[in-house]
Every structure is written in structure tokens, then in C-alpha cells.
Amino acid sequence: MSAKAQAGCPQGQEPITSCEIKGRNTEVFACFDDQIATYSYGPIGGAPDLFLSETIEDVDFEPWSGIGKAIHEKITFYNGDYSYEVGGGFDRPFSEEEMLLPTRRFGWLDVAQNGETLNTLDCIPETVTYGFGGGIYDAKVAAGLEWDDYSKTWRPDPNRPMAPPAQAPILIKGTDVGMVEDCLPPEEFKLFGINLGYHVADLAKLVPPVVGEVITGRGLEFERFMYDGLRMDTYQGAIIEMEATTPFWEMPSGIKVGSTRGEVISILGRVPNGAAATSKKFGALVCLDDRETAAEWYVVINFGHDKRVQSISFASISP
């Protein structure tokens, strides 16, 4: 959310990192308490031009990897298509000579739109405040989360007190024409009880009826039905494609729009073949015993610039 606030951290919060921006006469603050993280940017000592806040559970904080001479961390706030990444750090000394030298501090503010950098602003080194250790990392752990360094996202910690029982990984390694290929069981190809092959005449049992429309350019037998956050394309009355864009339409395993990449990997059990832990999309086929007699389905899970599921698409390779 956005609002106006006073310069510096809101009352009761402490800075994750802050600095004055080189050549701008402006300053940036990323602050937190045990519930909320905040971002503010504006003229030095004045009311900010932009103020954002996120819950501790949801805020995108990336801790230091533990590699390299420079210790640095960053936190990113999202406002629609835009993101504001605030980073800070310092060089750790490795020799007695370096210990006698002033500590080199650094920081930055990266502004992006849909993941594409629009501007990177450097901090004036001597104004950088950054306290490594504990802080917001401990606050996120206290909220029941753990850091997944492979996906660069947070996910629920299965070892936390009162955590629900861990479910078995749903991604299966199947063999197709001599190749190892990841697949999902057929029961996962559902969104709020609606699955591929479901007949449009039965939709009223699950959701209010909506009039469909013929899809231009695909022939008169293709018809599209739209619900709030769900698109369904049909062929001869049966659903052959679905796309969910809101959290309501979740898969039986709990994967839904808004899930972090780390949460998805945890549910799947691993990263699907052909993807990396930081990929913008994961894909998998349906697990079938007889591909010659059964329709072949596949799922594509798309991630947005905030590292969370943006959409889930199911489709049949042939109607």
C-alpha cells in the first residue's frame, strides 16, 4: 500500500538499510518491526514522495549468501508493475592491514518495471546504514518461514511448531520413449474442482453459469467461458484449456496464484526438468500409463516479477 509518512523510519521500527542518494538530494529508508516492513523515498528530511509497506511474511527480503568479501543484503517492495529494491552492505577485512582502514560501505536503489530495470541509483557511501545479522531475517523466521537459497524466496518452515504435516512431493519422474520426464498425477489437473475434460454443461454445479463466446479464428466449435480470475476454452463442450489468475482457483496440492517459487518447489518436491530454481515458469505433463489412448495434458506455472505465481495454465495437447 502507499501513503505519506515522516522522514526516516516510522515510530517503533528500525532500519534494515538507508542512505542518501548520490546527486539527487534524496534519501531512502527500508525499515521494519516484527509485523511490517516499510519503504520510503523522498527529499532529505522531508515527507517522502513514495511510502510502501508489506507484512513481514510477504516482504521480499534476500539475505547475504555467505559468499565473497562484501556482505550485503537487499529488500524489494512491489507497487503494481513497479518494484523498488533497496540494498546495503560493507566489505569485511581479511588482513590486519585492512582492519586498520575505514570500512567501505555501499548501497543502492534499483527501480524496475515488470522485472526490467528502469534506473539504478547509488548511495553516498558515508551515509549508508546497514546492520548485518539478525534483524528482519529473525523476524521472518519467527513468522514461521525459512529461506530457500536456490529459488531466492521464502517458504513455510516444516519444522516450526504447529506446522501442518508435510505432504509427499507431487512431481513424479516418468519414462517416455526412453527419456526421463517429470509429470504430475492426473488428479492435480484441477482448479477448484474443475478439471480438463470437464463438460461445460456441468459447470453450474460448481460455479454460477456464465454465457460463453465463440473464439474468433479457432472455428465455431471452440468456445470461451470467463469467470472472475479463470478462463476456460472448450471444444465440443469439454474444457481443453484453463488459466487461473487469482488465488481462489488453486490446485489440489495448494499451488495457487501468489505462492512463492520456494513454496511451489516445496510442494512439487524439486524443480521440474528443463527449469532452474529461479526460472520464470515451471512446466510438467500429466502422468499417463498409455499415451496412445489417453489425451495428453500439461501445466505451466508462470511466475511474476515478485517471484510469486502469476498464473497457472492447463492445456490438452490435442482436443
Side-chain angles (χ1 to χ4, degrees):
M1 77 183 198
S2 60
K4 288 290 184 181
Q6 295 299 312
C9 291
Q11 186 174 2
Q13 291 197 336
E14 59 180 284
I16 304 162
T17 186
S18 66
C19 75
E20 295 178 8
I21 301 299
K22 189 180 299 183
R24 291 279 181 135
N25 199 33
T26 56
E27 60 186 354
V28 62
F29 285 85
C31 309
F32 79 103
D33 55 30
D34 60 352
Q35 299 292 324
I36 299 292
T38 60
Y39 164 93
S40 63
Y41 174 82
I44 296 174
D49 297 326
L50 181 62
F51 181 85
L52 303 170
S53 68
E54 291 274 3
T55 64
I56 286 296
E57 290 87 351
D58 291 338
V59 73
D60 183 4
F61 167 71
E62 186 170 326
W64 180 49
S65 65
I67 300 173
K69 180 177 181 178
I71 296 177
H72 56 89
E73 297 177 322
K74 60 184 179 181
I75 185 168
T76 306
F77 295 82
Y78 299 94
N79 188 25
D81 293 339
Y82 293 89
S83 62
Y84 304 86
E85 174 191 289
V86 186
F90 60 90
D91 286 343
R92 51 179 176 164
F94 279 130
S95 66
E96 292 184 4
E97 291 78 6
E98 289 180 343
M99 290 181 183
L100 298 175
L101 298 174
T103 300
R104 187 185 80 89
R105 292 183 172 269
F106 57 89
W108 70 91
L109 168 61
D110 185 271
V111 182
Q113 183 177 20
N114 291 319
E116 299 293 329
T117 297
L118 299 176
N119 202 357
T120 298
L121 306 176
D122 292 325
C123 293
I124 299 173
E126 55 269 25
T127 68
V128 173
T129 62
Y130 165 67
F132 171 68
I136 192 170
Y137 184 97
D138 289 347
K140 290 185 78 72
V141 170
L145 302 174
E146 67 173 2
W147 173 249
D148 176 32
D149 199 49
Y150 292 101
S151 67
K152 303 300 181 185
T153 59
W154 293 82
R155 61 187 182 186
D157 182 359
N159 298 314
R160 71 190 187 281
M162 305 301 291
Q167 63 178 14
I170 65 172
L171 196 62
I172 300 169
K173 280 196 179 294
T175 303
D176 182 23
V177 196
M179 297 180 63
V180 175
E181 190 169 1
D182 286 335
C183 62
L184 290 176
E187 55 267 24
E188 272 301 311
F189 284 77
K190 293 181 181 180
L191 295 169
F192 191 67
I194 301 173
N195 58 273
L196 293 179
Y198 204 91
H199 202 279
V200 68
D202 297 323
L203 284 176
K205 300 175 184 178
L206 299 173
V207 291
V210 173
V211 177
E213 62 175 339
V214 174
I215 303 174
T216 305
R218 296 188 65 176
L220 296 177
E221 293 179 284
F222 289 90
E223 197 171 13
R224 175 166 294 173
F225 293 81
M226 300 292 296
Y227 291 86
D228 184 18
L230 181 67
R231 170 183 62 80
M232 293 174 290
D233 290 348
T234 65
Y235 175 75
Q236 295 181 346
I239 298 173
I240 60 168
E241 291 185 21
M242 292 193 294
E243 182 183 48
T245 54
T246 60
F248 179 79
W249 308 97
E250 70 176 78
M251 296 169 61
S253 58
I255 296 175
K256 60 185 176 181
V257 170
S259 299
T260 68
R261 209 156 30 207
E263 290 172 332
V264 173
I265 294 172
S266 180
I267 292 172
L268 293 178
R270 62 181 178 277
V271 177
N273 276 350
T278 55
S279 292
K280 293 183 178 180
K281 62 177 61 179
F282 292 165
L285 294 170
V286 66
C287 298
L288 297 172
D289 294 328
D290 186 352
R291 294 188 183 274
E292 293 184 0
T293 60
E296 196 165 29
W297 301 340
Y298 64 92
V299 61
V300 176
I301 301 171
N302 294 289
F303 298 95
H305 67 293
D306 59 354
K307 308 175 190 175
R308 295 177 178 270
V309 176
Q310 188 175 56
S311 66
I312 302 172
S313 300
F314 293 156
S316 174
I317 291 178
S318 59

